[in-house]
Amino acid sequence: MTTPAHDRDFDLVVRGALVATAAETFEADIGIKDGRIAALGRGLRPGAEEIDAKGLVVTPGGIDPHCHIEEPSEGGGVQEESFASGSAAALAGGTTSFICFVPQWKGHPIARTARDYEERAKASRADYSFHQIITDPTPEVLEREVPALVARGIRSLKVFLTYDPLRLTDAQYLEVLATARRLGALVTVHCENFDAIGWRIRALLKAGLTDPLQHAWARPPVVEREATHRAIALAELVDQPIQIFHVSCDEAAEEIARARARGVKVWGETCPQYLTLSTEDLARPDFAGAKVVCSPALRAPGERERVWARIAEGTLDVVSSDHCGFSFATAKRDPGSSGYGQGGALARADGMPAFNAIPNGVPGIETRLPVLFSEGVSKGRIDLPTFVRLTSANAARLFGLAGKGTLAPGADADLVLWDPAAERRIANADLHHAIDYTPWEGLAVKGWPVTVIRRGAVAVRDGSVLARPGSGRFLARDPYDLVRPTGRVPDGFDAASVLRG
């Protein structure tokens, strides 16, 4: 419906919606002007365009703070998920902003890779920001390159405690923590014990155990729990806030809960795969278990409800996709060619890759919100405000994305209109990503996004992506209070400040 230009107060009005924020739900119209929310209330004056949202739920646009898109490898290859396709999938699933990863390779500076990657990202249809991966924290990187990145609004660093050649030693991790503290950046951590995993891999391969299920055997919860404890303890030593990525089990979540009870600034994230899939999926016949190889590994079926419980208590307060897709056909044809593996045999007697050579990661940027809405809201595990906190509001707060993750006057007009009664089965043929499968093929879901609005413009309508490549914007992040140190260090001795001086 349109209204003559001389009689309009808004560019767009969404009428009669059930509005869900991080705090409450209420019925209202939403008036949008110049890409921002201008008003919420009943009976707003006309807009140049109007959307009838009666019977629909409106949430803030999703923020996916953990996804790998068009990421280059050290050997010169690039992940098949491009910014054009990955952002189309994000928008179609209700995600209007995401944060992906600028890689660094050992022996190389950051700048060259960063420039190339940022240029690739300009093809995005969704708004975007970056985490900077640190694999080689030399003095040049920490004292010159990282400060320059933070000054440009890249205000989070990613470190790995496993994978060669990505992992950091404890000493290197401490240096990254101290640098982040000095610059006001957040550190995000992949927590698994590298040596323990390698020891298990060698034993499994020696015993001839090479199926995808053995991926989980090589990375049991204890290796995640130990690394989570260590990552938090060292962050506590430095007094540097951190987030633990992709928590898969109750044991790791317990470490976060204990630290938070001590006053440590640590947050936890999980992903839909840990809420819906299990080792039973790794054991699928015909090598199909390879489609759900991710790290940390999927856990035994009973673990899913324990992770849901950690969400309910607030220990895990962000649900990301960790979208990291490798097409099944490519992985079978060229084992070990891409993704994060961990040494050892590349192929089995039948020509398929051994579990440790299967590219790690699952595609999920488009299905993240529908799966969580269905399994969480529709099934009564969480309410709508919790859904908003998990999928947008908490990520905006944690990563300093001002103007995102909320429905309030002055915020960016990023909205998702949900039909809470819509029922459908997920099918890869209907998705927009570049990967040839989805782990949730055939899953029945209730609740689906029917319209997605990004900065006031309709980006998706009834499954059709209208936003053009290149229409997304880079989200520079300014300093923000949440990641300030607590001011408490062991024994009152601030080693980070002494060493910096």
Side-chain angles (χ1 to χ4, degrees):
M1 174 179 146
T2 59
T3 302
H6 66 272
D7 194 32
R8 68 189 188 193
D9 284 9
F10 306 103
D11 300 324
L12 173 65
V13 175
V14 177
R15 292 213 179 268
L18 177 63
V19 176
T21 72
E24 60 184 335
T25 61
F26 53 91
E27 290 188 5
D29 304 336
I30 303 173
I32 296 168
K33 183 76 171 176
D34 298 328
R36 296 183 180 275
I37 296 174
L40 288 91
R42 295 176 182 268
L44 294 183
R45 285 180 54 79
E49 182 181 357
E50 304 236 344
I51 296 176
D52 182 359
K54 291 178 181 176
L56 303 182
V57 172
V58 177
T59 64
I63 299 171
D64 191 342
H66 186 166
C67 51
H68 301 266
I69 297 175
E70 207 169 332
E71 200 170 301
S73 66
E74 188 174 14
V78 177
Q79 286 181 345
E80 61 193 290
E81 189 73 85
S82 71
F83 274 97
S85 63
S87 61
L91 288 169
T95 291
T96 53
S97 306
F98 55 74
I99 310 179
C100 49
F101 297 87
V102 181
Q104 184 209 9
W105 307 110
K106 289 188 186 295
H108 298 278
I110 288 171
R112 182 178 302 174
T113 305
R115 283 193 299 269
D116 176 70
Y117 194 65
E118 290 175 33
E119 194 63 31
R120 293 176 185 272
K122 290 180 180 178
S124 180
R125 308 167 197 254
D127 291 348
Y128 60 93
S129 193
F130 303 113
H131 306 292
Q132 175 63 57
I133 296 174
I134 303 293
T135 63
D136 196 3
T138 63
E140 173 70 14
V141 166
L142 296 182
E143 295 170 15
R144 294 179 62 86
E145 291 201 292
V146 172
L149 286 170
V150 171
R152 290 195 292 110
I154 301 173
R155 199 165 283 276
S156 47
L157 309 177
K158 164 73 178 291
V159 301
F160 293 87
L161 301 187
T162 192
Y163 297 131
D164 263 340
L166 304 176
R167 69 186 179 99
L168 300 186
T169 65
D170 287 353
Q172 291 173 319
Y173 174 49
L174 284 164
E175 293 295 338
V176 172
L177 290 168
T179 297
R181 181 174 184 252
R182 181 173 75 252
L183 298 174
L186 183 69
V187 175
T188 62
V189 193
H190 179 128
C191 293
E192 292 182 288
N193 185 300
F194 173 80
D195 290 317
I197 292 168
W199 181 73
R200 295 276 287 195
I201 287 174
R202 290 190 294 273
L204 288 162
L205 295 178
K206 185 176 181 180
L209 298 168
T210 60
D211 288 345
L213 177 61
Q214 273 80 66
H215 174 74
W217 294 11
R219 316 172 95 93
V222 64
V223 306
E224 183 182 357
R225 185 231 305 161
E226 183 280 330
T228 301
H229 174 83
R230 178 161 40 99
I232 294 171
L234 296 180
E236 188 175 7
L237 179 67
V238 177
D239 187 24
Q240 165 58 33
I242 63 172
Q243 187 195 36
I244 307 299
F245 270 163
H246 41 47
V247 174
S248 74
C249 61
D250 182 69
E251 291 182 30
E254 182 181 17
E255 296 295 333
I256 296 170
R258 290 172 57 205
R260 291 174 76 161
R262 295 195 303 273
V264 179
K265 280 191 168 183
V266 55
W267 294 270
E269 164 207 279
T270 192
C271 310
Q273 47 267 39
Y274 304 119
L275 298 170
T276 59
L277 305 176
S278 74
T279 49
E280 292 177 344
D281 296 281
L282 282 167
R284 294 174 187 171
D286 300 324
F287 202 64
K291 295 179 177 180
V292 292
V293 166
C294 57
S295 296
L298 299 180
R299 303 305 182 194
E303 197 66 26
R304 291 175 295 206
E305 290 305 323
R306 287 187 279 273
V307 178
W308 277 109
R310 291 295 184 176
I311 285 175
E313 73 180 20
T315 297
L316 302 178
D317 50 14
V318 171
V319 175
S320 74
S321 69
D322 193 8
H323 177 84
C324 189
F326 304 97
S327 283
F328 189 50
T330 304
K332 289 193 298 181
R333 182 177 65 249
D334 193 11
S337 63
S338 57
Y340 303 137
Q342 188 154 333
L346 289 180
R348 312 184 315 173
D350 61 4
M352 295 294 102
F355 69 86
N356 60 310
I358 297 168
N360 274 219
V362 298
I365 197 167
E366 186 166 352
T367 50
R368 174 182 73 116
L369 296 188
V371 168
L372 188 65
F373 192 101
S374 181
E375 293 294 313
V377 177
S378 298
K379 292 189 176 180
R381 289 186 174 102
I382 58 175
D383 59 14
L384 280 168
T386 301
F387 176 82
V388 170
R389 291 194 295 272
L390 292 171
T391 59
S392 61
N394 285 348
R397 185 174 61 94
L398 183 59
F399 292 101
L401 292 168
K404 300 292 188 181
T406 185
L407 299 177
D412 284 358
D414 298 337
L415 285 67
V416 186
L417 281 61
W418 293 83
D419 181 350
E423 297 186 13
R424 61 185 294 180
R425 289 189 179 274
I426 292 175
N428 198 63
D430 298 330
L431 302 180
H432 296 76
H433 62 209
I435 314 305
D436 65 4
Y437 78 95
T438 171
W440 291 278
E441 184 76 37
L443 179 69
V445 294
K446 184 176 181 181
W448 199 265
V450 294
T451 303
V452 180
I453 298 168
R454 187 216 57 204
R455 283 185 279 107
V458 175
V460 179
R461 182 181 283 117
D462 295 328
S464 295
V465 178
L466 307 179
R468 305 301 300 171
S471 59
R473 292 181 182 173
F474 169 64
L475 303 173
R477 291 173 278 153
D478 293 328
Y480 58 110
D481 287 340
L482 189 66
V483 294
R484 292 183 186 277
T486 65
R488 298 191 301 271
V489 292
D491 304 320
F493 177 66
D494 188 349
S497 295
V498 171
L499 290 171
R500 183 169 71 249

